[in-house]
Amino acid sequence: MQLDDIDRVGVVGAGTMGNGIAQVAAASGYDVVMRDVEQQFVSAGFDDIDESLGRLVARDELTRSEADRARDRIEGTTDLADLSDCDLVVEAVTEDMDVKQSVFEDLADTCRTETVLATNTSTLSITTIASVVDRAERVLGLHFMNPVPVMKGVEVVVGEKTGADTLTLGHAFAKDLGKETWEADDKPGFVVNRVLMPWINEGIRAYDEGVAGMADIDRGLTLGTNVPMGPLELADHIGLDVVLDASETLHEELGDRYKPAYLLKRKVAAGDLGKKTGAGFYEYD
Ligand SMILES: NC(=O)c1ccc[n+]([C@@H]2O[C@H](COP(=O)([O-])OP(=O)(O)OC[C@H]3O[C@@H](n4cnc5c(N)ncnc54)[C@H](O)[C@@H]3O)[C@@H](O)[C@H]2O)c1
């Protein structure tokens, strides 16, 4: 399979990442099928896409008609069978190995053998996800960054059995969506989250241990190290549940230096998951 053979792209999961991936693929001219388990999640995904396209139009980055054409290229569904004629599918469901493996089993049953199956996992093993399908050479990690329409980078992750053609196609597809890529081996957290998660957890601990207030920790890191967001604000933006899931995987695989901060666990237990629930470390309208 080569880039020219890809017309129809499937996205599994219409949440933060899935709807962003669907949007950028549609804006790049692909027909997209975006699938979630319930219609309310599909509709919420479309609401995010409408908002995001509206922002791009307001900033003159897209014309209204380009945005409308992109929107029209996305079909929303709860029916797995609608993914059957996709040439490439990106899975962006909950960061849980059992859930991801069950999605991959379904995809292997539903899609053609040559369909490339990508996972957007932040930290889980590509090799373990691929182990449940009969075509592990067609499975790779395409780790998009949040928010997908804005962030330029895609981490291409190489599983034990990922084929060379699949990798070449993964890079080419991401570049066709206007992204830049780098490659990481299938080791916990790959490049980005292996380094990012301890940074976020240390920011949370510094706050919890009274080193500084939330805003000062975020200001310290933005002004002191020239990053666009500090660790607490970034955690809210990613989703505290997503940060906790990723931190727990890294802790399990790499040991105590990756232990999630206590306050992160407490916030998630309280249901304060960041921007998406209206409150995390900060409050949102
Ligand atoms: N949020 C981030 O900043 C970020 C960044 C990079 C990668 N990721 C990764 O992307 C993936 C998705 O994260 P997210 O932030 O979009 O999560 P999210 O919670 O916003 O969305 C996940 C969606 O998957 C759906 N889902 C669950 N099981 C499903 C199934 N069997 N079939 C179809 N849909 C199903 C849920 O209903 C939900 O809508 C995770 O693996 C996460 O680690 C997240």
Side-chain angles (χ1 to χ4, degrees):
M1 173 96 58
Q2 304 204 328
L3 189 62
D4 286 351
D5 303 320
I6 298 183
D7 296 318
R8 201 167 162 82
V9 172
V11 179
V12 191
T16 310
M17 298 305 289
N19 71 58
I21 296 165
Q23 179 188 321
V24 295
S28 304
Y30 293 96
D31 290 328
V32 177
V33 183
M34 178 175 77
R35 190 232 169 193
D36 209 301
V37 280
E38 287 181 30
Q39 187 52 43
Q40 55 166 328
F41 301 134
V42 176
S43 302
F46 275 120
D47 290 346
D48 285 354
I49 290 171
D50 289 339
E51 219 177 278
S52 170
L53 288 171
R55 275 196 300 271
L56 293 174
V57 171
R59 292 204 299 258
D60 284 334
E61 290 177 35
L62 276 187
T63 65
R64 186 71 258 173
S65 66
E66 285 169 338
D68 290 344
R69 275 204 302 278
R71 177 65 162 80
D72 288 346
R73 282 191 203 106
I74 308 172
E75 177 190 330
T77 185
T78 56
D79 188 355
L80 189 69
D82 289 336
L83 295 168
S84 62
D85 53 355
C86 288
D87 307 301
L88 182 149
V89 179
V90 185
E91 165 277 309
V93 306
T94 319
E95 185 79 348
D96 177 294
M97 182 55 81
D98 292 340
V99 177
K100 290 199 187 280
Q101 285 189 326
S102 128
V103 167
F104 271 72
E105 277 168 352
D106 287 346
L107 290 174
D109 287 344
T110 309
C111 300
R112 296 188 309 271
T113 329
E114 58 272 25
T115 300
V116 169
L117 304 177
T119 169
N120 190 51
T121 182
S122 305
T123 49
L124 297 173
S125 160
I126 311 300
T127 306
T128 311
I129 294 172
S131 67
V132 298
V133 303
D134 54 0
R135 60 197 77 164
E137 72 283 1
R138 300 225 188 282
V139 177
L140 82 165
L142 281 183
H143 181 207
F144 289 81
M145 307 288 141
N146 181 14
V148 182
V150 175
M151 297 294 285
K152 279 273 164 230
V154 175
E155 189 164 48
V156 176
V157 189
V158 192
E160 176 74 23
K161 299 211 166 157
T162 305
D165 297 357
T166 305
L167 268 186
T168 305
L169 182 68
H171 284 283
F173 175 67
K175 285 179 184 153
D176 202 43
L177 304 190
K179 306 300 184 192
E180 291 178 36
T181 57
W182 61 96
E183 213 167 278
D185 193 17
D186 183 20
K187 300 219 165 65
F190 322 125
V191 173
V192 170
N193 283 316
R194 184 177 178 120
V195 177
L196 181 63
M197 290 301 148
W199 182 79
I200 289 177
N201 276 287
E202 201 47 46
I204 298 171
R205 275 188 208 101
Y207 164 59
D208 204 18
E209 291 170 19
V211 174
M214 282 190 287
D216 278 333
I217 287 175
D218 283 338
R219 272 171 65 75
L221 270 306
T222 49
L223 295 172
T225 67
N226 212 16
V227 291
M229 274 186 218
L232 301 172
E233 194 186 354
L234 181 59
D236 276 359
H237 180 76
I238 293 171
L240 301 193
D241 52 338
V242 175
V243 174
L244 181 58
D245 286 342
S247 305
E248 281 174 340
T249 304
L250 291 169
H251 182 211
E252 204 178 298
E253 298 290 343
L254 300 172
D256 269 356
R257 71 188 203 273
Y258 284 91
K259 196 169 173 183
Y262 173 73
L263 185 59
L264 173 64
K265 293 200 262 184
R266 202 172 80 176
K267 290 270 184 201
V268 172
D272 287 343
L273 305 183
K275 260 189 172 171
K276 63 184 167 187
T277 59
F281 289 103
Y282 298 95
E283 308 237 314
Y284 301 88
D285 293 332

